């Protein structure tokens, strides 16, 4: 029999408990972009692959986010997998009020008019197929229509409230 860690005192479910638990869960870092007159984007650690056939992804976005009004209407969104060299880019897209598409951000108009970021490990342009209410968030499900997985490097991770890189 293997020894198991001691179980502490159980706490009632709350936003704080959920945040504390998920700080212990390492997640890949992505930036989601969309455009409707102006480009918007945000850093996401909730990106998931949903299905291979059809190729579906999902992510969560708070309805109070400055990006939500555009994403709520967008037909297409961009998904960008960040590399360990892009911690500053991740921080920019996570910061409220930041000039996310300013001079320090390399990007171009991609397929379907979606902003595509430069230097990422991989990117997809996806057609939004559903926006599902989930508390104060929406879960967005989108089908990949085009992309490029050819960027080089290792992924950026988020763990314990900060950006990290993989260790060998």
């Amino acid at each position: 029999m293997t020894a198991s860690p001691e179980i502490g005192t159980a706490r009632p479910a709350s936003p704080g408990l959920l945040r504390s638990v998920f700080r212990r869960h390492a997640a890949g870092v992505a930036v989601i972009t969309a455009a409707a007159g102006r480009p918007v984007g945000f850093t996401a650690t909730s990106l998931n692959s949903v299905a291979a056939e059809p190729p579906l992804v999902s992510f969560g976005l708070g309805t109070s986010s400055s990006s939500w009004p555009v994403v709520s209407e967008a037909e297409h969104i961009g998904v960008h997998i960040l590399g360990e060299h892009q911690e500053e880019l991740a921080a920019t897209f996570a910061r409220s009020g930041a000039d996310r598409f300013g001079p320090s951000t390399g990007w171009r108009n991609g397929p379907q008019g979606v902003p595509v970021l430069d230097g990422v490990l991989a990117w997809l342009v996806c057609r939004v197929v559903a926006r599902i209410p989930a508390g104060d968030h929406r879960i967005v499900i989108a089908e990949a229509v085009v992309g490029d997985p050819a960027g080089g490097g290792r992924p950026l991770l988020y763990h314990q409230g900060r950006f990290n890189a993989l260790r060998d």
Side-chain angles (χ1 to χ4, degrees):
M1 179 182 236
T2 16
S4 61
E6 279 191 43
I7 296 178
T9 304
R11 296 172 24 195
S14 68
L17 174 65
L18 190 67
R19 284 186 202 99
S20 293
V21 168
F22 274 87
R23 277 189 198 105
R24 297 181 178 274
H25 174 71
V29 180
V31 167
I32 309 298
T33 61
R38 66 180 175 92
V40 299
F42 61 95
T43 299
T45 56
S46 62
L47 179 67
N48 289 290
S49 169
V50 174
E53 187 57 45
L56 298 173
V57 299
S58 71
F59 60 88
L61 178 59
T63 56
S64 64
S65 163
S66 62
S67 297
W68 174 245
V70 172
V71 173
S72 73
E73 300 290 328
E75 289 185 37
H76 292 86
I77 53 94
V79 174
H80 306 82
I81 307 301
L82 300 192
E84 65 185 359
H85 63 286
Q86 294 178 302
E87 184 175 329
E88 187 175 317
L89 182 67
T92 296
F93 276 83
R95 194 175 313 114
S96 180
D99 185 3
R100 296 173 180 161
F101 291 91
S104 65
T105 302
W107 67 281
R108 66 189 186 289
N109 282 316
Q112 304 298 326
V114 172
V116 174
L117 302 176
D118 295 339
V120 296
L121 298 186
W123 61 268
L124 294 168
V125 168
C126 304
R127 181 180 58 83
V128 175
V129 297
R131 295 174 187 89
I132 302 165
D136 61 353
H137 279 60
R138 295 297 179 267
I139 305 302
V140 178
I141 300 177
E143 182 177 358
V145 294
V146 65
D148 183 359
R154 294 159 51 117
L156 182 63
L157 301 177
Y158 192 74
H159 181 250
Q160 293 287 17
R162 62 187 181 88
F163 297 112
N164 293 277
L166 288 175
R167 285 185 262 180
D168 289 330

